[in-house]
């Protein structure tokens, strides 16, 4: 975790490294993640991932306590995923993260799930809509490469 903590980096750089580490960790766990997913309620999920069984995870990355403290929108993500996690740096004060959500600690190279998320299964219609959104967004991004 030294990459983010060795030198004081600007918050956008810490956020980018955190998203990269979360993405790598999700891939290591067999999930397929994509970044910056716009949701139907106008919110944007930092990281969304699909499990091999079709479960949808959202990870909201928080680069520092100030970033977390000004964010009151995270409950709006719960209706779009089966599991919700915060992804934070090693130095983030973890006692601020609510117990009912998952906790991932990451750096630019990977991460670890320190606390599993409560499972809130999506209803079938919402699951289909979010899965189609995920698929269309991933295909659109691939076609731009």
């Amino acid at each position: 975790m030294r990459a983010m903590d060795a030198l004081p980096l600007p918050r956008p750089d810490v956020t980018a490294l955190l998203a990269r580490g979360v993405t790598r960790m999700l891939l290591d766990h067999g999930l397929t993640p994509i970044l910056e997913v716009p949701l139907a309620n106008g919110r944007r999920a930092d990281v969304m991932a699909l499990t091999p069984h079709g479960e949808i995870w959202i990870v909201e990355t928080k680069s520092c306590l100030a970033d977390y403290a000004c964010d009151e929108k995270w409950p709006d993500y719960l209706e779009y995923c089966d599991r919700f996690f915060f992804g934070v740096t090693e130095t983030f004060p973890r006692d601020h993260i609510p117990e009912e959500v998952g906790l991932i600690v990451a750096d630019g190279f990977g991460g670890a799930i320190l606390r599993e998320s409560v499972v809130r299964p999506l209803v079938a219609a919402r699951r289909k809509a979010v899965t189609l959104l995920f698929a269309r967004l991933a295909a659109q991004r691939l076609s731009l490469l």
Side-chain angles (χ1 to χ4, degrees), residues 30-145:
L31 284 83
T32 305
I34 55 176
L35 302 175
E36 307 290 330
V37 179
L39 303 174
N41 64 359
R43 300 292 185 207
R44 181 194 39 78
D46 291 336
V47 183
M48 182 182 279
L50 287 178
T51 70
H53 302 291
E55 193 175 68
I56 298 164
W57 292 17
I58 290 179
V59 182
E60 178 71 0
T61 59
K62 293 298 167 198
S63 59
C64 63
L65 187 55
D67 184 20
Y68 175 80
C70 69
D71 181 2
E72 296 178 0
K73 68 185 184 311
W74 71 265
D76 297 345
Y77 297 116
L78 299 178
E79 61 189 89
Y80 294 92
C81 60
D82 297 294
R83 295 178 191 250
F84 178 83
F85 296 82
F86 277 106
V88 300
T89 65
E90 185 176 10
T91 59
F92 188 95
R94 299 175 200 152
D95 56 323
H96 290 274
I97 303 297
E99 288 292 324
E100 69 271 14
V101 302
L103 178 61
I104 296 170
V105 173
D107 62 13
F109 302 100
I113 298 172
L114 297 190
R115 183 174 64 229
E116 288 290 342
S117 168
V118 171
V119 178
R120 298 173 188 85
L122 290 173
V123 296
R126 177 60 58 92
R127 177 175 312 287
K128 179 179 178 181
V130 175
T131 303
L132 285 173
L133 166 73
F134 186 97
R136 291 178 50 82
L137 183 60
Q140 180 184 41
R141 290 181 181 172
L142 182 61
S143 70
L144 295 174
L145 291 176

Side-chain angles (χ1 to χ4, degrees), residues 14-27:
V14 173
T15 301
L17 288 170
L18 188 54
R20 185 173 105 180
V22 165
T23 298
R24 287 179 171 189
M25 189 262 336
L26 291 169
L27 287 165

